[in-house]
Amino acid sequence: MGAIIEEIIDSLKKGQGKRVTDLVKMALEEGISPQSILEDGFLAGMGQVADKFRKEEVGVPEILSVTRALERGVQSLRRYTGSSGGKEVGTVVLGTVKGDMHDIGKNLVKMMMESKNIRVVDLGVDVTPRRFLDEAIASKAQIVCMSGILSESEKDMKAVLDEFEERGIRDEMFFMVGGYFLDEEQAKKIGADCYTEDACACAERAYQYLVKKDKRKRY
């Protein structure tokens, strides 16, 4: 891994947004690919911070500082690469399920998806099943992506799927889920089409689905 990527990670972990944006420009000028900056820099840095958060070695204020720095970095990357001007490949409705007020993971997924020219309708946190349904219909979304890190989030995700089932349009959408409490087996029990462990994998899976538009290919 290059020195600039290492410095991006270090600056990101310190919440140094201005330094991160400067390093993004330097990295691109040295020929480092935007994908490497995203995955080897941003995602790797966020992964290290997430591990510390799970171990209670850092608190919410530090996480928020890192997230703000990350957002500035992603915006800088888009500005220099012009990726935000690309053709949108599809629409994702994204939100943290009812009862859960956490948005760090959701926000990271949003940024990673937008970096791939996916239109993201961000519903925020504490989103009810009915709102997921209404917004998915209104925005003509192809994917519904749910986040949740509470133990109760599993049943709330199931409630969202049930809402679409009752309306008779469950099979018209591709349902993606993620969160600390989940694994692939639990996601299948919920009835979701796809589970991913991190934001980068989530964005890549969504992109591949939207490009191929193959509803039969799940998990």
Side-chain angles (χ1 to χ4, degrees), residues 5 45 77 96 133 152 169:
I5 293 293
L77 186 61
T96 304
L133 175 69
E152 295 85 5
I169 60 171

Side-chain angles (χ1 to χ4, degrees), residues 43-192:
L43 185 61
M46 285 301 295
Q48 292 177 26
V49 173
D51 286 341
K52 288 188 175 182
F53 183 67
R54 282 191 288 267
K55 296 174 183 176
E56 300 184 350
E57 295 176 1
V58 297
V60 172
E62 290 87 353
I63 291 289
L64 292 176
S65 177
V66 172
T67 303
R68 285 192 291 267
L70 173 67
E71 186 168 5
R72 290 187 64 175
V74 172
Q75 290 174 349
S76 177
L77 186 61
R78 288 201 203 112
R79 183 167 66 251
Y80 290 123
T81 62
S83 59
S84 60
K87 182 180 178 181
E88 291 178 345
V89 297
T91 300
V92 174
V93 166
L94 172 68
T96 304
V97 293
K98 182 176 174 57
D100 194 331
M101 305 301 291
H102 298 84
D103 67 356
I104 294 170
K106 174 188 68 65
N107 292 344
L108 183 56
V109 167
K110 177 183 178 181
M111 286 185 279
M112 291 297 183
M113 285 186 172
E114 289 180 338
S115 75
K116 292 181 175 292
N117 292 318
I118 296 172
R119 177 189 173 218
V120 178
V121 179
D122 185 358
L123 305 184
V125 300
D126 193 25
V127 184
T128 64
R130 181 57 182 271
R131 188 163 178 229
F132 270 111
L133 175 69
D134 290 344
E135 294 293 343
I137 293 173
S139 63
K140 298 180 180 179
Q142 293 85 29
I143 296 175
V144 175
C145 186
M146 295 177 278
S147 172
I149 69 171
L150 302 179
S151 58
E152 295 85 5
S153 295
E154 183 176 353
K155 64 178 178 60
D156 292 315
M157 289 178 177
K158 180 66 166 59
V160 174
L161 282 152
D162 289 343
E163 189 82 14
F164 281 78
E165 189 73 51
E166 289 176 12
R167 182 63 69 91
I169 60 171
R170 186 263 172 266
D171 288 337
E172 296 178 20
M173 309 280 175
F174 190 71
F175 288 84
M176 303 182 70
V177 296
Y180 293 146
F181 75 96
L182 272 179
D183 57 29
E184 188 169 305
E185 190 62 33
Q186 288 172 298
K188 287 180 180 178
K189 289 180 179 178
I190 291 170

